[in-house]
Amino acid sequence: MILGIDVGGTHTDSVLMQNRKIIRKSKVLTDKNDILGCVMRATQAVATPEDIKQLHRIVLSTTISTNAVAQNQLDPVGLIVMNGPGVSPKDLPLADQTTLIAGYMNHRGIEAEALDDDELAALKQQFSKDKIENLAVIGKFSTRNPVHEQEVGAYFDSQASHVSLGHHQSGVLNFPRRIATTYLNAAIWRLHSRMVDQLASYLQGLGVDVPLFILKADGGTIGVEPSRKYPVQTILSGPAATIMGVLPFVSSTADSVSIDVGGTTTDIALFANGAPLLEPQGVEIEGHKTLIRGLLTHSMALGGDSQVQVVNGALQIGPERKGSAMAFDGPFPTPTDALIVLGRANIGDQAKALRAMEGLATSLQQTPQQVAQAIVDIMCGRIAAKVNEMIAEVNSKPVYTIHELLEGKVLQPQQLIAVGGPAPYIAEQVGALLALPAIVPQDSEVINACGAAMARTTVELNLLADTESQQLSFAEDGRKQKISSRTSVDEIVEIGKERLLEIARAAGARDEDLEVEVADLQSFNVIHGYATTGKNIRVRLQIKPGLIKQQQ
């Protein structure tokens, strides 16, 4: 048995699953001040004490980190950057919060300038005076040689609550994005670490020793304790949970689009022949361009509980949610009230929903039914327009899926999958506007929890081999290994695969779900004096994202 839990802004959904089939499902209200209580109530709603004893794993999807960034509830960070020459400091992200220090590696990972001990000592005093406890340390070519980051981190380790190092966040070269990623990791570390502590108490309360995972932005999972070091990876896990939940219903031979209509927002995702699309460089959140590997989604501030009002003689839906629908004793009219009045949704208090529409109808000199229809038409029209806009944007650039780059691919969706609470009531209309058949999967209201429950553990590893210096570097953990000057590309890949499998197993992956992919491979000749003196080989490996295999 597997327990999947999705902690959303309004509800915490839970499912108890066996062989990808739901045994029980539940929705409980989310209390943002008591996440531990929410998770425990969501568990008790679907799992008996006997069920809990049979659990093979628990997977949690949460909006906690995302909301912290979106609402700017971030801790102060001591942002230490080793820039070196080449890039003007004012052109780097978070320049106004950055402390630049001496020391840098060149593009081959060779020290070009040493650290300044006196500078570090002064900075240590300054951080102590300013009571800055979370640090982020980033060097330009730290993925080639992380020694400077490691030395600076060790210097501050006894003083800081936490130090985030740039090379730990991603082995991909992109200095500005690594700065933003490492900064966010440090800024949400305390919040996330507190949640990890609460989840340890949750497991203790269940009285079982069962693996507990958190969903990441790329649709894969990470063990809850390892996630303490990489909280930034859990940003945008909510949309990722939707995509993984939708995956079993997506055609493997045609392109598809999915919409997840929630209370506050609608999230849109695209699939190329059954594979979710990927943000090629990394996700962007609240203006922070990161190296967080994540699935491509677009979110719009429009949902079933969006406030509806008349502004300058016209209907306005959202962008704010100020409570539940009036049919559920909320303060303002919503699209959910409109759907109830039209008879599409047989939920809530119909009389209260009608009063919600009557208030708007009086201002517009229309009938409640006319206003309700206009609200639903506007909502469906805006969703369809956003889908078309997203498709056009994707088709203007190379198409990346979680598995590969599709050269020359033009996305042409042939089906619409609609999930979320309001989805059954608007799917057909949105599908008609897009000229697509609409599918509403069974149990679509808890699809996020299903997606979390079924997601595989994913890890990525970047390697850099320099056969001239006879050295192999593992970017994310800073390990180095001696190699021969004659080591081939295939041999480097095999060494990488062996290390990747070690990391994946340590992260909690099951052997039956370990499918290794070569995500990127480049080989360049090293030239000195008009002669080839070696090769520079770069390899990126990943555990193939997807759904866990059924237990036999």
Side-chain angles (χ1 to χ4, degrees):
M1 287 185 177
I2 297 172
L3 176 63
I5 301 173
D6 175 58
V7 183
T10 307
H11 290 99
T12 296
D13 301 340
S14 57
V15 292
L16 184 68
M17 302 186 75
Q18 192 164 31
N19 289 331
R20 297 195 184 177
K21 291 186 172 56
I22 294 177
I23 299 171
R24 293 184 208 96
K25 60 183 178 180
S26 172
K27 296 177 86 72
V28 301
L29 287 173
T30 297
D31 181 351
K32 295 173 185 175
N33 299 315
D34 184 19
I35 297 300
L36 176 60
C38 291
V39 173
M40 186 59 82
R41 287 192 295 277
T43 300
Q44 292 169 342
V46 296
T48 66
E50 195 56 41
D51 293 329
I52 289 170
K53 290 177 188 174
Q54 298 180 57
L55 285 175
H56 281 252
R57 71 177 198 154
I58 302 171
V59 189
L60 183 76
S61 164
T62 170
T63 60
I64 290 174
S65 296
T66 307
N67 291 344
V69 179
Q71 296 164 17
N72 200 28
Q73 296 173 343
L74 303 172
D75 286 339
V77 173
L79 183 55
I80 303 172
V81 173
M82 290 163 279
N83 184 40
V87 180
S88 172
K90 65 180 176 57
D91 293 331
L92 295 173
L94 301 156
D96 59 332
Q97 300 179 48
T98 298
T99 300
L100 296 169
I101 66 170
Y104 73 94
M105 301 289 177
N106 70 15
H107 68 283
R108 293 186 67 186
I110 300 168
E111 185 179 68
E113 181 182 70
L115 297 170
D116 184 330
D117 291 340
D118 292 338
E119 188 176 42
L120 291 176
L123 191 55
K124 194 171 191 177
Q125 282 189 327
Q126 186 63 48
F127 284 161
S128 177
K129 179 184 173 183
D130 295 341
K131 295 183 169 53
I132 293 177
E133 299 180 355
N134 297 318
L135 305 185
V137 183
I138 308 99
K140 185 183 292 180
F141 289 110
S142 62
T143 56
R144 301 287 168 79
N145 187 345
V147 167
H148 281 168
E149 284 188 357
Q150 292 168 339
E151 290 178 353
V152 174
Y155 186 84
F156 286 95
D157 194 50
S158 60
Q159 175 178 305
S161 296
H162 173 74
V163 181
S164 291
L165 302 182
H167 71 281
H168 284 162
Q169 308 309 319
S170 173
V172 177
L173 277 180
N174 190 314
F175 185 44
R177 283 181 177 264
R178 187 175 299 104
I179 291 173
T181 308
T182 313
Y183 163 78
L184 288 178
N185 198 72
I188 63 171
W189 178 84
R190 184 177 58 87
L191 177 73
H192 184 83
S193 188
R194 190 165 61 230
M195 184 185 72
V196 171
D197 290 338
Q198 290 180 330
L199 291 173
S201 299
Y202 158 73
L203 278 180
Q204 197 171 11
L206 290 183
V208 291
D209 183 17
V210 60
L212 175 60
F213 298 91
I214 293 182
L215 198 72
K216 301 185 299 176
D218 68 353
T221 65
I222 183 172
V224 68
E225 189 55 46
S227 80
R228 194 192 294 269
K229 190 175 179 180
Y230 309 106
V232 74
Q233 298 296 330
T234 68
I235 284 174
L236 299 176
S237 72
T242 300
I243 292 172
M244 302 315 288
V246 163
L247 212 47
F249 305 97
V250 172
S251 168
S252 61
T253 58
D255 301 336
S256 309
V257 58
S258 73
I259 57 172
D260 178 10
V261 190
T264 308
T265 60
T266 294
D267 295 324
I268 303 165
L270 298 170
F271 303 79
N273 294 330
L277 266 56
L278 188 74
E279 289 278 12
Q281 290 188 289
V283 303
E284 181 175 346
I285 180 167
E286 297 300 315
H288 297 286
K289 294 181 178 180
T290 77
L291 286 172
I292 303 164
R293 179 180 166 82
L295 302 176
L296 177 65
T297 62
H298 280 200
S299 185
M300 56 190 302
L302 177 65
D305 292 340
S306 295
Q307 180 189 5
V308 181
Q309 54 188 324
V310 176
V311 178
N312 297 327
L315 287 168
Q316 177 179 299
I317 308 176
E320 293 182 291
R321 176 190 185 272
K322 294 191 173 180
S324 302
M326 288 181 67
F328 293 94
D329 297 320
F332 295 105
T334 69
T336 297
D337 294 308
L339 289 165
I340 292 169
V341 167
L342 292 175
R344 295 196 193 183
N346 186 20
I347 54 176
D349 188 320
Q350 296 184 14
K352 291 178 180 177
L354 183 60
R355 282 199 292 276
M357 293 300 103
E358 286 173 342
L360 298 170
T362 301
S363 300
L364 295 171
Q365 297 183 328
Q366 295 178 1
T367 67
Q369 286 72 21
Q370 287 174 323
V371 170
Q373 187 62 59
I375 290 169
V376 174
D377 289 347
I378 292 169
M379 182 180 191
C380 293
R382 283 177 55 189
I383 292 172
K386 189 68 176 178
V387 169
N388 284 327
E389 179 186 317
M390 185 176 176
I391 293 169
E393 184 181 337
V394 165
N395 283 335
S396 69
K397 300 179 283 194
V399 176
Y400 289 83
T401 73
I402 55 174
H403 303 317
E404 60 189 333
L405 162 64
L406 301 179
E407 294 281 2
K409 170 70 175 176
V410 177
L411 211 68
Q412 297 178 313
Q414 301 297 309
Q415 62 172 183
L416 168 71
I417 299 104
V419 299
Y425 318 125
I426 66 169
E428 190 175 334
Q429 186 169 342
V430 175
L433 291 170
L434 295 169
L436 297 176
I439 300 167
V440 180
Q442 189 177 0
D443 306 307
S444 70
E445 77 281 8
V446 290
I447 207 84
N448 281 28
C450 294
M454 295 187 295
R456 287 180 183 172
T457 298
T458 57
V459 288
E460 184 178 279
L461 182 64
N462 287 268
L463 299 89
L464 174 67
D466 189 332
T467 62
E468 182 187 39
S469 63
Q470 297 181 32
Q471 186 165 268
L472 171 64
S473 301
F474 299 89
E476 285 81 0
D477 60 12
R479 285 178 46 170
K480 295 185 183 301
Q481 181 174 324
K482 193 78 174 169
I483 58 173
S484 160
S485 60
R486 295 183 299 278
T487 304
S488 68
V489 171
D490 289 343
E491 287 171 322
I492 296 299
V493 170
E494 286 308 309
I495 292 170
K497 284 182 177 179
E498 209 171 291
R499 176 65 183 140
L500 182 69
L501 291 174
E502 284 178 26
I503 297 170
R505 290 187 180 107
R510 307 181 310 170
D511 281 355
E512 56 265 44
D513 296 321
L514 292 176
E515 295 183 54
V516 179
E517 281 188 325
V518 179
D520 190 27
L521 194 157
Q522 300 175 52
S523 179
F524 307 93
N525 288 330
V526 178
I527 308 293
H528 284 302
Y530 304 102
T532 300
T533 57
K535 285 189 177 295
N536 188 295
I537 303 166
R538 303 169 194 175
V539 180
R540 181 158 56 89
L541 302 170
Q542 67 172 354
I543 298 298
K544 186 176 180 179
L547 306 179
I548 59 171
K549 293 182 178 176
Q550 296 187 36
Q551 298 278 11
Q552 298 302 314

